[in-house]
Amino acid sequence: MTPELDTELLSEIELFHNLPTEELEALLECLQVVSLEKEDILFEEGDLEDVFYVVLTGQIVVFKENKNIALRGPGEYFGEIALLDSSPRSANAKAMLPSTLLKIGRESFETLIRSNPGFSQSLLRTLAERTRKDIAALNTSYKKLKDQKKFASNLNRILDDSTNEIYAFDAGGLQLNKMNKRAQDNLGYVSYEVLDLTALDILQDLTREELDFLIQPLLDKKQSLAVYEGRHRRKSGETYPVDIRFQLMETDKGESVVALAQDISERVSLQDKIQRLAYVDDLTELPNRNSLLETIQDRLEDQNAEPEGFALFHIDLDHFKGINDSLGEEGGDALLCEVRDRLQKEFPRTVSLYRLRGDEFVLMIPAIETQDHATRSANKIMGVMAPMFHISSYDIHMTCSIGIAFYPADGRKALTLLKKTNKALTKAKSSGKNRICFYDESLEPQALEKLTLVSGLKKGLENGEFVVFYQPKVDTRTKKIIGAEALIRWNHPVKGLVSPGQFIPVAEESRLIIPIGEWVLKEACRQLKIWQDGGKAALTLSVNFSGHQFHQKNAVQMVRDIVRDSGCPVGNLELELTESVLMDNARQAMQELAELKALGIRLSIDDFGTGFSSMKYLKDMPIDVLKVDRCFIQQLEIGTNQAIVKSIVNLAQMLKLGTVVEGVETPEQERLLELIGCDYLQGYLYSKPVPLAEFEALIQGQNGTGPGDGQM
Ligand code: C2E
Ligand code: CA
Ligand code: CA
């Protein structure tokens, strides 16, 4: 609705506020009313040179280059866009609501000003006022702009400080248009190079199609985030793993994709490491147990080929713990690596070598199906161990025990096979170490019955099912029996005589060896007393004393009580302790040995040469006898073995210790040992361990000329 033009209306207009009525009347003459409908454009790329407008009703928006620059409501002076905008004035005005404007022609306006000095004065005042307001408005927008700039630079700084790589690229052409410092540094670009790149220059393994596929859901607004794990390519061509999150960002230049990438090299290498730890033995870098089980199982499950037969050799170094304890972990590690080197050198690449744990290795040798063939390979393994190991300037003699199982005869699953080699190995170890044992069914119940074995042992102890057997020791020069080693046997009500190899390991594990060992000691002392009373006072008896017994707090007290209660001749009693038990904690052992020694008991080191003895302690330990291990005697013809026995005997002589060599089986061995100068011999050549009556018969059989008093 077009309003009625009158002086009252005019005087309400800010611009004409101060004009007296006559001037307003004059003004009325040169005014024209213009009506605009919504969206009507007042002028386009226009020039206000000849005319200016005053908004009476409605709302007018002034915009320039599509940007809204001012909104003018009723009563507002409209011509001032010239003040806000520079020349040439090229803004457009558009009606937002149906509007009424006053149109004032320039010429008539000028006439008006010229004829009315008051008019120009009040106009100037109004303009000055407007200008002040505009400057204030300008100041506010300038401050806003400054804040925005600061914000933008802060934002850039935050982006640059970010440990994530951030870059943005055009969703259509994929050109990069922004990259933070972290990304530039990591990718190796300088800032001006960035704009020449596309996202595909960075994303190593994505094709254009794949990247489109990835970001399309963002463009379709179906997803707000796309996640991708892949690799980034540096300027140098090198690549590294990244975890990327893509998001869409609307900008005035269109749609950009912002990529937030995290360098996950560390995480990936940690994962690799974990993977490695899971499958590779850290020390020897050999594949480990997991790897063994998996590779063998894979092979067996290979659908394409019927897997060929093979044999698994489970190798365990004898008395390795002693070496580790005395040479330190480093020495032990060096030895294990040397074992690895030797095995790898001996066997072709088709043979796989694994390290299970500690001193256990497994060899998988293909195309072996007979025991004969396997025995040859096992001998090879033993041969590999035969030469001295030189570790930390020590010469170490090393033997091993081997358990063997065959595929497919013993099983069709990797784990089953490994369990079986382990059973065979346990058997090899418990029957004296340094030997080969094949898996066979008879090993099964033994393992299965471990638990019942423990309860069986307990019952056996209560029911008096144990017996002591005696294995003679002879004087090397006279070949006369001077005494015996007491060796336990279990007279099982159902199984009959069970040898210690079958139950001592379980007894050790369950610590039942403590009461069992105590029983043997009591028996031995009782027997010594009987012999003394029966005129065989010179006979000596040695008793095996296990590590568990030795490490008992009240070990010495226990021995003292037994010896005292039996009333036996203490000097004829000998305790056999293994090298590793003594060297385990040599300093503490020394103290305990001294206390045992103080009781008058003789002490010997059993299985000497298989462990590792520190000379430092050995020379100060109150030991009476070194008992040379059976393994050196078995192949005494071998030069090195002879040399070892010789040097042990020399060592013993130097330390003023007696020597016993056990495991003597042939006259040839006896002859050699005599030459070497061992004091006493023990072995099947003279007798196996036998029951008391038989042992006494053996003594009787020596023409009645027993040791000492000649009455036997
Ligand atoms: P050890 O103390 O080294 O005992 C020597 C083993 O070698 C005995 O086996 C003996 O029968 C065997 N032997 C002796 N001469 C020969 C020979 O010429 N050739 C061969 N091939 N073997 C020979 P045994 O009686 O089966 O005892 C095995 C192991 O059981 C013993 O080894 C010992 O460590 C343990 N043991 C036996 N009795 C006891 C005991 O009362 N207490 C403890 N703690 N351990 C015992
Ligand atoms: Ca022994
Ligand atoms: Ca022995």
Side-chain angles (χ1 to χ4, degrees):
M1 247 244 285
T2 315
E4 204 59 36
L5 258 193
D6 55 23
T7 51
E8 205 175 321
L9 179 73
L10 284 184
S11 69
E12 278 168 20
I13 296 170
E14 196 191 358
L15 183 63
F16 311 127
H17 245 7
N18 303 314
L19 295 184
T21 318
E22 0 14 308
E23 276 165 26
L24 288 176
E25 274 166 1
L27 184 61
L28 268 178
E29 304 283 294
C30 54
L31 288 180
Q32 197 189 324
V33 176
V34 181
S35 287
L36 292 178
E37 277 311 302
K38 200 175 155 206
E39 299 288 313
D40 276 353
I41 303 262
L42 190 59
F43 47 85
E44 217 165 328
E45 297 299 312
D47 196 314
L48 295 176
E49 235 170 89
D50 294 325
V51 73
F52 71 93
Y53 299 89
V54 175
V55 183
L56 267 185
T57 66
Q59 219 170 39
I60 291 286
V61 152
V62 186
F63 57 96
K64 188 178 176 183
E65 287 173 355
N66 293 325
K67 229 198 245 152
N68 178 338
I69 59 169
L71 184 70
R72 295 290 168 238
E76 284 193 282
Y77 175 48
F78 181 41
E80 97 282 8
I81 33 173
L83 290 173
L84 287 175
D85 229 19
S86 60
S87 166
R89 289 158 291 178
S90 55
N92 301 341
K94 194 160 89 179
M96 291 307 283
L97 302 169
S99 310
T100 316
L101 309 177
L102 290 183
K103 183 179 176 187
I104 310 171
R106 189 183 191 100
E107 226 169 285
S108 41
F109 191 64
E110 275 169 9
T111 326
L112 189 71
I113 288 176
R114 241 176 275 127
S115 58
N116 292 290
F119 182 82
S120 52
Q121 228 175 47
S122 57
L123 194 59
L124 271 175
R125 212 170 13 228
T126 307
L127 283 177
E129 175 68 8
R130 273 243 83 101
T131 308
R132 206 172 45 73
K133 274 192 192 163
D134 286 337
I135 285 174
L138 266 178
N139 275 341
T140 323
S141 13
Y142 175 68
K143 196 170 166 297
K144 255 194 209 154
L145 203 68
K146 226 167 103 180
D147 285 351
Q148 265 173 16
K149 265 199 177 151
K150 198 165 155 200
F151 176 72
S153 91
N154 277 346
L155 192 67
N156 271 335
R157 221 194 49 233
I158 290 169
L159 289 184
D160 282 345
D161 283 352
S162 167
T163 52
N164 287 319
E165 296 175 26
I166 303 168
Y167 53 91
F169 57 90
D170 173 53
L174 306 185
Q175 274 91 24
L176 288 190
N177 41 47
K178 174 99 195 136
M179 189 184 270
N180 75 342
K181 181 135 178 7
R182 176 70 176 207
Q184 286 174 28
D185 289 351
N186 231 4
L187 290 162
Y189 290 104
V190 285
S191 53
Y192 64 82
E193 292 172 318
V194 170
L195 299 177
D196 294 335
L197 300 172
T198 74
L200 294 176
D201 291 319
I202 297 177
L203 294 161
Q204 156 78 4
D205 22 40
L206 284 184
T207 61
R208 165 91 215 208
E209 290 69 34
E210 287 165 336
L211 181 56
D212 283 346
F213 179 78
L214 204 60
I215 61 176
Q216 195 56 49
L218 302 179
L219 301 174
D220 296 344
K221 312 280 189 295
K222 283 190 181 136
Q223 246 170 254
S224 59
L225 187 72
V227 184
Y228 170 70
E229 195 174 311
R231 302 187 73 81
H232 265 175
R233 182 173 42 234
R234 296 201 163 97
K235 188 181 173 186
S236 62
E238 197 188 335
T239 69
Y240 57 95
V242 278
D243 185 23
I244 311 180
R245 268 130 221 282
F246 294 108
Q247 268 172 297
L248 197 66
M249 189 174 69
E250 306 279 350
T251 67
D252 45 1
K253 288 188 195 102
E255 286 176 319
S256 256
V257 177
V258 177
L260 198 90
Q262 202 179 11
D263 181 344
I264 52 169
S265 301
E266 252 168 65
R267 191 176 87 200
V268 169
S269 88
L270 198 70
Q271 274 166 351
D272 286 353
K273 207 164 158 191
I274 291 169
Q275 171 85 0
R276 240 183 93 74
L277 275 181
Y279 290 99
V280 179
D281 167 50
D282 226 16
L283 170 68
T284 58
E285 304 205 318
L286 289 174
N288 64 8
R289 182 175 188 273
N290 283 345
S291 173
L292 176 143
L293 292 176
E294 277 189 24
T295 47
I296 293 184
Q297 197 56 40
D298 283 353
R299 213 174 143 133
L300 299 186
E301 280 167 9
D302 184 357
Q303 308 291 340
N304 301 322
E306 171 65 20
E308 67 170 342
F310 61 82
L312 277 191
F313 296 73
H314 197 149
I315 307 165
D316 185 296
L317 306 182
D318 296 330
H319 308 289
F320 176 74
K321 191 175 177 296
I323 293 185
N324 221 7
D325 291 344
S326 16
L327 280 187
E329 222 167 86
E330 271 170 43
D333 287 355
L335 190 116
L336 291 173
C337 289
E338 165 114 32
V339 167
R340 169 203 61 197
D341 293 344
R342 289 189 187 183
L343 287 170
Q344 279 177 335
K345 210 166 136 202
E346 180 68 26
F347 290 94
R349 292 183 68 87
T350 49
V351 170
S352 325
L353 176 62
Y354 304 86
R355 179 178 174 222
L356 294 201
R357 77 193 94 134
D359 57 341
E360 286 177 46
F361 293 86
V362 168
L363 271 181
M364 197 267 247
I365 309 187
I368 292 191
E369 280 174 85
T370 66
Q371 289 207 352
D372 262 4
H373 191 171
T375 304
R376 264 178 280 140
S377 297
N379 281 333
K380 242 186 182 178
I381 296 171
M382 292 189 148
V384 160
M385 305 293 171
M388 283 287 186
F389 286 82
H390 306 285
I391 308 286
S392 337
S393 75
Y394 290 101
D395 283 344
I396 292 157
H397 176 80
M398 178 55 74
T399 59
C400 66
S401 305
I402 305 175
I404 306 168
F406 296 100
Y407 172 85
D410 293 327
R412 290 185 159 271
K413 283 215 151 68
L415 187 60
T416 317
L417 285 167
L418 190 62
K419 279 186 179 161
K420 291 189 171 175
T421 59
N422 198 26
K423 280 171 193 157
L425 176 66
T426 308
K427 172 81 196 233
K429 298 219 86 135
S430 62
S431 40
K433 302 195 165 100
N434 190 27
R435 52 185 72 209
I436 304 165
C437 187
F438 289 98
Y439 172 80
D440 71 59
E441 297 284 290
S442 74
L443 299 176
E444 229 25 86
Q446 183 196 335
L448 283 175
E449 283 171 7
K450 205 170 184 180
L451 274 179
T452 50
L453 193 60
V454 172
S455 58
L457 282 170
K458 274 188 201 155
K459 228 186 268 158
L461 204 55
E462 285 164 16
N463 299 347
E465 290 168 11
F466 293 104
V467 280
V468 173
F469 272 35
Y470 299 83
Q471 186 177 35
K473 286 183 207 164
V474 304
D475 184 308
T476 312
R477 281 166 295 124
T478 64
K479 308 293 181 308
K480 291 268 154 67
I481 296 171
I482 53 103
E485 176 177 2
L487 292 157
I488 194 170
R489 297 292 180 268
W490 184 10
N491 201 355
H492 192 276
V494 181
K495 291 183 207 150
L497 220 51
V498 187
S499 71
Q502 281 169 275
F503 66 86
I504 290 285
V506 177
E508 294 264 5
E509 217 174 275
S510 60
R511 301 175 65 86
L512 272 175
I513 193 67
I514 296 171
I516 291 175
E518 202 176 319
W519 178 83
V520 176
L521 184 62
K522 270 187 195 148
E523 271 303 294
C525 290
R526 199 174 59 84
Q527 193 53 51
L528 277 173
K529 174 72 177 149
I530 294 173
W531 281 335
Q532 187 188 36
D533 294 348
K536 294 166 188 150
L539 280 179
T540 63
L541 203 45
S542 65
V543 174
N544 292 287
F545 207 61
S546 99
H548 285 298
Q549 282 178 283
F550 187 67
H551 295 313
Q552 277 281 93
K553 251 210 209 92
N554 58 353
V556 177
Q557 188 59 46
M558 184 268 290
V559 175
R560 184 186 294 131
D561 290 350
I562 291 176
V563 170
R564 198 189 44 214
D565 293 353
S566 71
C568 74
V570 186
N572 290 12
L573 177 67
E574 189 172 300
L575 292 184
E576 294 189 6
L577 290 128
T578 63
E579 214 173 2
S580 46
V581 167
L582 292 184
M583 294 297 162
D584 235 15
N585 183 347
R587 217 183 301 258
Q588 200 195 319
M590 197 89 90
Q591 172 66 25
E592 202 175 327
L593 286 177
E595 289 174 33
L596 287 172
K597 188 72 212 156
L599 301 177
I601 295 169
R602 290 162 59 81
L603 299 170
S604 84
I605 303 188
D606 202 359
D607 303 341
F608 192 82
T610 57
F612 173 81
S613 283
S614 156
M615 277 318 285
K616 185 168 115 214
Y617 291 114
L618 193 61
K619 75 176 186 348
D620 294 331
M621 276 181 178
I623 294 294
D624 301 281
V625 174
L626 293 188
K627 206 166 173 190
V628 182
D629 192 71
R630 214 147 43 82
C631 70
F632 303 112
I633 314 310
Q634 273 171 343
Q635 291 168 298
L636 202 57
E637 320 76 59
I638 296 177
T640 48
N641 276 353
Q642 248 182 72
I644 291 166
V645 177
K646 243 185 229 161
S647 59
I648 295 177
V649 171
N650 280 344
L651 174 74
Q653 284 167 350
M654 249 159 52
L655 297 173
K656 304 211 161 39
L657 306 177
T659 44
V660 178
V661 172
E662 58 182 341
V664 184
E665 290 180 351
T666 67
E668 176 61 12
Q669 291 168 348
E670 180 187 65
R671 198 184 57 78
L672 278 168
L673 292 167
E674 211 177 327
L675 276 177
I676 290 172
C678 308
D679 299 322
Y680 305 104
L681 306 175
Q682 178 186 345
Y684 292 175
L685 180 63
Y686 313 102
S687 168
K688 290 195 169 181
V690 290
L692 177 68
E694 265 178 65
F695 174 68
E696 290 184 333
L698 281 173
I699 298 172
Q700 223 62 55
Q702 295 183 136
N703 312 325
T705 49
D709 52 18
Q711 286 181 18
M712 276 176 284

